[in-house]
Amino acid sequence: MGAEFSSLDQLNRNECINRLVNEERIDENDPFWNQLLSFTINLPLTKASSKKLDESIALSCQKFHQNNPSSGNYSSLIRVFSRRANATRRMTDNKLMILHTTNALFIIRCITKYLIEIENELALLEQMNFRSDEANLELDKETGSNFDNLKSQNDYSTDSSTASPKRLYNPNKNYRMSKSKSNHESALLDSQENSFGNESDSDMPQNNDLVESNSKKHENILYMLIKNIIQLCTEVPVKSYTYNLHLEALNTVLILLSSQMYSKTPANESLIFDTFMQKMDRFVSDFVRVLLKNLIQQMPPPSNIHNLSSYLSNEEQNQRSFVSSVASGLWSVMTFGFGSAKTSTDQSNQEDESEKSFLSNLSNDSSNQNQDEQLDCSSRYLAWQSCHILLVLSNNCTNESLYNPYRLALFHFTDTQNTPTNLPNSEPLPWFSIDFSKLFQMFTQTVHTDQYSLLLYMLIHRNQHFKMFILSRLQIDSLVMPLLKVIFTAPERNSHHIYMTLIIILILSEDDIFNKTIHTITIKKLIWYTERSLSEISLGGLLILVLIRTIQFNMTRMRDKYLHTNCLAALANMSSKFQNLHPYVCQRINSLFNMLTRKRTKIITQINEENSKSDADKNETVSKDLLQDLSIIEELMKMVLEIINSCLTNNLHHNSDLVYSILYHKSIYLQFRDHPTFQDLTQNIDTVITRFSHEIESVEDKTIENLREIITMGAKQFSRERFRKFPELKFKYVEEDQPEDFFVPYVWSLVYKYSNLYWIDHTIDLFNSPNNNR
C-alpha cells in the first residue's frame, strides 16, 4: 500500500508530494496522478485542524510556489481535476472516481489558499497559467495557425509581454464586460477547454473558427476550474459518499473568493469575481438552487466522513489497492481501517434516515416549550459553507450598473407551490423554485446565527415572494421567537447580528396583518426571558418588552442612536395595533418614558452647570456634546409619546391596562403639559388622564379589579372624536446607497471567524480600514 503516516508532520517526506512540488513537469496523462489521488486523509473540519494542516504543508507549498513556473504542475493538476470532474458527472456512482476528484480538489484548494495568502490575485493567476516549455510548444503547434489568422482580424491590444504565457493579460482591466459579450466569451472558453483535450462535455457547441491568444487561452484555466466545481455541485447528487466531494467543492469556491480579503481591489475589478459573475450565467440558477437546497436539508456529515474509501465496493477497493501498490510513496494520512466500514448501501440508508429525521423535526409544530432548542449550524458543514458562499456572492457587485446573477437569482426565486414569475432581464437566467415551507422552517432553527440572520434579512428585504409567504404564516411565532431571543441576549452577540435582527423585525412590522396577528398568539412557559417570570403573554407583548429592554440597555451602555431609532420605529409601526397588553408591558412603556425624562433632567442640569462656568473654564466640546445628547433624548421622548398616542387613538377600548398604568404614572406626563416641545403630543394623554381620573375619583371601591372594570367600561364608551388627530405612524426600512461598504467586510468577518477554515490574518487588507473591525 506504500508509505503510511501517523501524523501530518510526515507529509513533507512523502515521495509523491515531493515529486509534485519539484521542478519536474508531470504530464497530465502520467500514471502518477492516479497514485497521488488515491490517498485518504482525515479532512480538517475545524479551524484548529485547518491550522494544523496549513502548518504541516507550508514547506511543500513554498517549494511548489518556487518551482511551479518551471513545472507548470498547478495547471496540470487543474486539468487532471477537470478530467475527473467530467467523469464523475457522467458516473455519479463511481466511488473511486469520486475519491480521486475529491482529493484533486483538496490539493487544489490547499495550494490556492497558500498562494492567495502570500501573494495576490494576479500572482495566483500567473501561477495557475504557468505551463512548462514543452507544454507550451505542444500548445503552439495546436493553436498557432488559428491564432495568427484571428489576430489579423481582431485587435486585442496586447504587447509582446502580454502575449507571454507567463504574464497574465486581463481583458477586463479597463472596462466592464457586457452580458452579451460574457456569454460569447463563455462559448469561446468552453470550446477552448475541449480543444485542450480535457475530455470535457461542453454545454455549448464548439466553434473551431474562434481562437484567442495564448495568454487568453491560459485564462481558460480559471474558467475551467470554476465551471467544473459548479457543475459538480449542480449535477452530482448529495449522498453520504459524495458529501466530501461537495464540501471540498464549496471550500474551494470560498478559497477562490477569499482573494477579496487579501486585496483592496473592488470585486468588479477582480478577474476571479468577474469569472463567477460574467461567465457562469447558465449555471447560476442551478447553483443557487443547490446551495439553498443544502440549507434546507441541513444534512449532517456522514459517520465515515474521515474515510471516504470506506464507501468503495470490493472491486473498487481492489482497483485502488492495485494503483496504490504501484506507488512507491503513496501518502495515506491518519487512515482509518477499512475492515469495519459500512457498505455504501448502509451509508445511503443512514443518510436518508438522517435527512428524513431533520426535515421531520422541522415540519413539527414548534411549541413554546422548544423555543430554547437551537441547531448547531457550524457542524452541518455543507449547509454552513453554502450559506457563506451565498452571502459572499450576493453582497458583491450590488451597484445597479454592475451585473450580479447570484443576487438576481436569490431575490427572485419563487415557491414550488405557486406559479413562478420570470426574472427581470431573465434571458440568460431562467427562474427556479424552492419549497418556501421548508425554507421557512429551516430559518426557524438557524436565525440564532449571524449568517442565517443576514440571509433571512436579504430575502425578506428583497425577495417579495418569500416575504409575502412569511407574513402569511399562521405560526409566525416559530420565527419571531428565536429572533427575539437573539435581541434579548444582545450582550452575548455580535453587534451586527443585533442590527440585522432588529431590521428584520422592523421590516415585518411594516405589515399591518403581522402587527395584528402577533397579539392573537399566546406564548406560554417562556424560559429565556429572565427579567420577570411570565407564565403567559402575547407574542406582541413580548416583542414590545424585548424592544424596550434593548433601548434601555443601549442607553446605559452602547449609546447608539441608530439602534434606538430602529427599535422605536418598529414599536411605532406596531402601535396602532396594540391590544390587550399585559400589565407588565404597560408598566415598561411608562418606565421607558420615565427613564428618558430623568435622563433629560440630568443633561439639562449638566448644561446649566457648564454654562455657569467662567469663559476660561468652559469646555466647548463638552457643551456641544451635551446639547447633542439633549436633542437625541427629546427626539426619543417625542417618539414614545407618539407611540402612546397612536395606541390610545386607535385601540383605547382594547387597552384598559395601559390606561390604568398611565393614570398610575400620570405625574411624568403632566409635567410636560405646557412644555412647547411636548404639549401637542401630551394633549391626548392629558385628555385620557382627565376623563378617567374624574370617573375613578367618584368611586368608593378603589380595588385594582374594580378600577380596571370601570376603565374598561369607560374606554368602550369613550368617543375617539375627542382625540386630536395625528398622521399615521409608519416607518419603512431603506438600505444605504452603498451597502457593500457594510456588508462585504461583515460577511468576510463571518467567514474568517466561523467557516471552519484557518486564515492567515496579518496579510488581510479588507479589515484594515478604520471602519471595519473583525
Side-chain angles (χ1 to χ4, degrees):
M1 290 291 293
E4 299 210 3
F5 304 98
S6 59
S7 73
L8 289 168
D9 298 333
Q10 301 181 39
L11 279 173
N12 294 320
R13 298 194 296 272
N14 179 258
E15 293 182 14
C16 282
I17 296 178
N18 286 332
R19 184 180 174 190
L20 175 67
V21 304
N22 284 333
E23 295 182 357
E24 175 193 358
R25 182 223 173 197
I26 305 173
D27 187 81
E28 298 161 24
N29 298 312
D30 196 306
F32 162 83
W33 297 108
N34 288 334
Q35 301 166 11
L36 176 71
L37 301 179
S38 294
F39 66 87
T40 57
I41 189 171
N42 194 351
L43 288 175
L45 299 175
T46 65
K47 192 169 186 176
S49 58
S50 295
K51 180 180 180 181
K52 184 177 181 181
L53 172 67
D54 287 359
E55 292 171 346
S56 301
I57 64 175
L59 183 59
S60 296
C61 288
Q62 183 180 0
K63 291 181 180 178
F64 187 89
H65 180 213
Q66 294 170 350
N67 295 325
N68 182 62
S70 300
S71 69
N73 284 338
Y74 193 15
S75 173
S76 297
L77 175 61
I78 293 174
R79 295 171 190 279
V80 168
F81 158 72
S82 178
R83 290 184 177 184
R84 282 161 172 74
N86 285 317
T88 299
R89 286 159 43 208
R90 292 194 300 268
M91 302 176 288
T92 58
D93 290 330
N94 188 324
K95 300 177 182 63
L96 182 59
M97 186 60 66
I98 291 171
L99 174 67
H100 282 195
T101 308
T102 304
N103 290 342
L105 261 180
F106 175 75
I107 300 174
I108 288 172
R109 70 114 158 163
C110 288
I111 294 172
T112 303
K113 182 174 181 293
Y114 176 85
L115 295 174
I116 285 176
E117 289 179 335
I118 68 166
E119 292 275 11
N120 54 40
E121 181 185 273
L122 181 63
L124 168 71
L125 297 177
E126 286 178 342
Q127 289 281 341
M128 195 176 285
N129 295 325
F130 283 139
R131 290 172 65 85
S132 68
D133 293 338
E134 180 182 350
N136 287 328
L137 287 174
E138 294 175 0
L139 185 63
D140 290 340
K141 290 178 181 178
E142 182 179 341
T143 62
S145 59
N146 289 331
F147 169 64
D148 291 336
N149 293 334
L150 186 67
K151 189 173 181 180
S152 64
Q153 302 171 16
N154 297 278
D155 179 15
Y156 286 93
S157 300
T158 60
D159 56 24
S160 58
S161 62
T162 312
S164 168
K166 293 188 178 182
R167 175 78 177 270
L168 177 68
Y169 164 55
N170 183 356
N172 304 301
K173 182 176 180 181
N174 298 317
Y175 64 92
R176 295 296 301 156
M177 188 181 301
S178 67
K179 284 166 55 178
S180 60
K181 180 170 181 178
S182 70
N183 291 334
H184 174 69
E185 186 160 347
S186 295
L188 281 173
L189 292 169
D190 276 339
S191 64
Q192 290 169 20
E193 184 179 338
N194 288 340
S195 71
F196 285 142
N198 281 320
E199 301 172 3
S200 172
D201 293 334
S202 176
D203 296 276
M204 304 185 70
Q206 295 187 26
N207 187 338
N208 294 326
D209 295 328
L210 298 173
V211 185
E212 294 179 303
S213 68
N214 287 351
S215 61
K216 191 65 179 176
K217 278 181 172 293
H218 289 172
E219 290 183 11
N220 180 39
I221 297 293
L222 176 63
Y223 172 84
M224 181 195 307
L225 175 61
I226 295 175
K227 170 178 175 280
N228 278 286
I229 291 174
I230 290 180
Q231 286 187 296
L232 283 174
C233 292
T234 58
E235 298 180 26
V236 177
V238 179
K239 301 290 183 181
S240 49
Y241 56 86
T242 63
Y243 191 98
N244 284 12
L245 174 62
H246 281 270
L247 182 58
E248 278 308 309
L250 298 182
N251 281 338
T252 307
V253 169
L254 260 186
I255 295 298
L256 285 167
L257 295 173
S258 73
S259 62
Q260 186 178 37
M261 274 202 296
Y262 297 90
S263 171
K264 296 180 181 179
T265 303
N268 60 298
E269 297 179 13
S270 159
L271 187 57
I272 292 177
F273 272 87
D274 181 82
T275 303
F276 274 100
M277 298 293 175
Q278 302 288 340
K279 302 182 179 69
M280 296 295 143
D281 261 15
R282 63 192 186 280
F283 307 121
V284 166
S285 286
D286 285 338
F287 187 46
V288 173
R289 178 180 53 79
V290 166
L291 295 177
L292 289 171
K293 184 179 178 182
N294 289 341
L295 301 187
I296 290 173
Q297 290 181 330
Q298 290 289 321
M299 182 179 175
S303 58
N304 282 4
I305 187 172
H306 295 308
N307 186 15
L308 184 60
S309 61
S310 64
Y311 295 109
L312 301 181
S313 65
N314 291 334
E315 181 180 355
E316 289 168 326
Q317 287 278 14
N318 292 334
Q319 293 175 13
R320 178 175 178 272
S321 298
F322 173 76
V323 170
S324 300
S325 64
V326 176
S328 61
L330 173 68
W331 55 305
S332 178
V333 186
M334 291 190 289
T335 305
F336 291 77
F338 303 149
S340 61
K342 296 182 180 180
T343 66
S344 59
T345 302
D346 293 335
Q347 292 292 346
S348 297
N349 291 338
Q350 178 187 1
E351 165 219 324
D352 292 339
E353 289 303 316
S354 64
E355 285 188 38
K356 290 178 181 178
S357 174
F358 177 74
L359 293 175
S360 175
N361 290 335
L362 283 182
S363 62
N364 288 336
D365 183 12
S366 56
S367 62
N368 299 323
Q369 295 91 323
N370 294 331
Q371 291 296 342
D372 265 11
E373 296 182 6
Q374 294 181 338
L375 180 70
D376 181 10
C377 298
S378 62
S379 66
R380 305 299 176 96
Y381 306 112
L382 210 56
W384 197 231
Q385 300 301 57
S386 296
C387 188
H388 286 136
I389 290 171
L390 278 174
L391 293 177
V392 172
L393 288 173
S394 59
N395 279 290
N396 279 284
C397 302
T398 59
N399 191 295
E400 292 183 0
S401 64
L402 303 176
Y403 180 60
N404 186 333
Y406 304 90
R407 196 169 172 86
L408 279 174
L410 196 63
F411 293 165
H412 293 88
F413 69 86
T414 57
D415 190 5
T416 53
Q417 305 303 314
N418 295 320
T419 303
T421 305
N422 285 336
L423 304 180
N425 304 320
S426 60
E427 176 191 355
L429 190 69
W431 55 261
F432 68 94
S433 299
I434 288 288
D435 190 329
F436 277 5
S437 178
K438 291 180 179 178
L439 186 62
F440 172 80
Q441 291 162 2
M442 179 275 297
F443 277 121
T444 66
Q445 300 291 316
T446 58
V447 290
H448 60 279
T449 65
D450 287 76
Q451 289 86 335
Y452 286 100
S453 288
L454 179 53
L455 183 60
L456 176 62
Y457 153 76
M458 294 176 64
L459 292 180
I460 287 182
H461 179 46
R462 302 300 294 267
N463 190 316
Q464 293 303 307
H465 305 294
F466 189 60
K467 178 182 178 181
M468 295 310 298
F469 176 87
I470 287 181
L471 292 172
S472 68
R473 294 304 87 196
L474 296 176
Q475 296 173 340
I476 191 67
D477 56 308
S478 61
L479 179 64
V480 174
M481 285 295 286
L483 291 173
L484 293 183
K485 184 177 179 181
V486 168
I487 301 172
F488 185 82
T489 56
E492 307 168 11
R493 307 282 179 176
N494 182 318
S495 61
H496 292 339
H497 191 188
I498 303 303
Y499 270 112
M500 301 319 304
T501 307
L502 285 173
I503 292 173
I504 292 171
I505 295 294
L506 175 59
I507 294 173
L508 292 175
S509 73
E510 294 170 9
D511 183 77
D512 284 338
I513 296 178
F514 169 83
N515 296 332
K516 187 174 182 178
T517 302
I518 56 177
H519 290 286
T520 65
I521 299 174
T522 302
I523 306 298
K524 298 180 180 180
K525 297 182 180 179
L526 187 60
I527 299 174
W528 53 262
Y529 188 85
T530 55
E531 292 285 296
R532 175 170 172 164
S533 177
L534 296 170
S535 59
E536 184 175 307
I537 189 173
S538 70
L539 178 62
L542 180 62
L543 179 48
I544 296 170
L545 285 179
V546 171
L547 291 179
I548 290 176
R549 180 182 181 273
T550 303
I551 295 171
Q552 293 174 328
F553 174 82
N554 182 56
M555 293 200 61
T556 57
R557 301 188 189 184
M558 298 170 64
R559 299 172 62 82
D560 187 331
K561 66 177 182 179
Y562 296 108
L563 190 145
H564 294 149
T565 302
N566 286 336
C567 289
L568 288 172
L571 289 171
N573 285 343
M574 297 184 291
S575 59
S576 65
K577 304 299 179 183
F578 285 175
Q579 56 179 292
N580 301 322
L581 296 181
H582 191 284
Y584 180 61
V585 177
C586 300
Q587 176 189 330
R588 299 305 296 165
I589 293 174
N590 288 285
S591 296
L592 174 60
F593 187 74
N594 189 31
M595 182 192 72
L596 293 172
T597 60
R598 286 188 278 108
K599 273 196 164 293
R600 176 180 177 274
T601 301
K602 182 179 178 180
I603 293 174
I604 290 176
T605 301
Q606 292 174 328
I607 291 175
N608 292 334
E609 291 175 353
E610 192 67 25
N611 291 335
S612 65
K613 295 179 181 179
S614 63
D615 293 340
D617 295 332
K618 282 184 179 181
N619 187 322
E620 293 185 3
T621 303
V622 172
S623 299
K624 184 178 180 180
D625 290 344
L626 288 172
L627 289 173
Q628 185 177 8
D629 289 346
L630 179 62
S631 175
I632 293 172
I633 289 294
E634 290 187 342
E635 284 300 317
L636 296 177
M637 290 174 64
K638 287 195 286 186
M639 284 195 72
V640 173
L641 290 174
E642 288 176 339
I643 290 167
I644 296 173
N645 259 296
S646 176
C647 175
L648 294 178
T649 56
N650 288 283
N651 262 326
L652 177 67
H653 57 294
H654 287 307
N655 286 291
S656 56
D657 282 324
L658 179 60
V659 174
Y660 178 86
S661 184
I662 289 174
L663 292 175
Y664 187 82
H665 297 91
K666 62 182 180 181
S667 60
I668 64 175
Y669 298 102
L670 294 178
Q671 63 179 307
F672 297 105
R673 175 186 289 174
D674 299 320
H675 194 287
T677 304
F678 304 105
Q679 62 182 2
D680 289 345
L681 295 172
T682 58
Q683 182 176 331
N684 287 336
I685 299 175
D686 187 32
T687 300
V688 170
I689 292 174
T690 302
R691 164 65 188 273
F692 288 94
S693 294
H694 177 73
E695 291 191 8
I696 288 175
E697 287 174 0
S698 61
V699 176
E700 294 183 1
D701 182 7
K702 288 187 170 55
T703 60
I704 294 177
E705 291 76 12
N706 189 49
L707 292 179
R708 281 179 173 161
E709 184 177 347
I710 292 172
I711 291 172
T712 300
M713 294 298 296
K716 292 179 180 178
Q717 299 169 2
F718 190 89
S719 173
R720 294 177 56 186
E721 299 300 322
R722 300 180 60 179
F723 285 130
R724 178 176 177 175
K725 304 299 181 184
F726 288 96
E728 183 181 11
L729 286 180
K730 279 296 176 184
F731 292 87
K732 187 176 180 62
Y733 170 73
V734 178
E735 197 170 72
E736 296 290 341
D737 292 335
Q738 296 179 319
E740 286 185 44
D741 292 346
F742 171 80
F743 287 110
V744 170
Y746 177 33
V747 169
W748 278 115
S749 71
L750 297 178
V751 174
Y752 173 87
K753 291 179 182 178
Y754 305 116
S755 66
N756 297 318
L757 298 170
Y758 173 73
W759 309 92
I760 296 177
D761 58 359
H762 65 269
T763 56
I764 293 179
D765 290 325
L766 184 63
F767 304 138
N768 290 337
S769 63
N771 297 326
N772 300 327
N773 296 309
R774 274 170 307 192

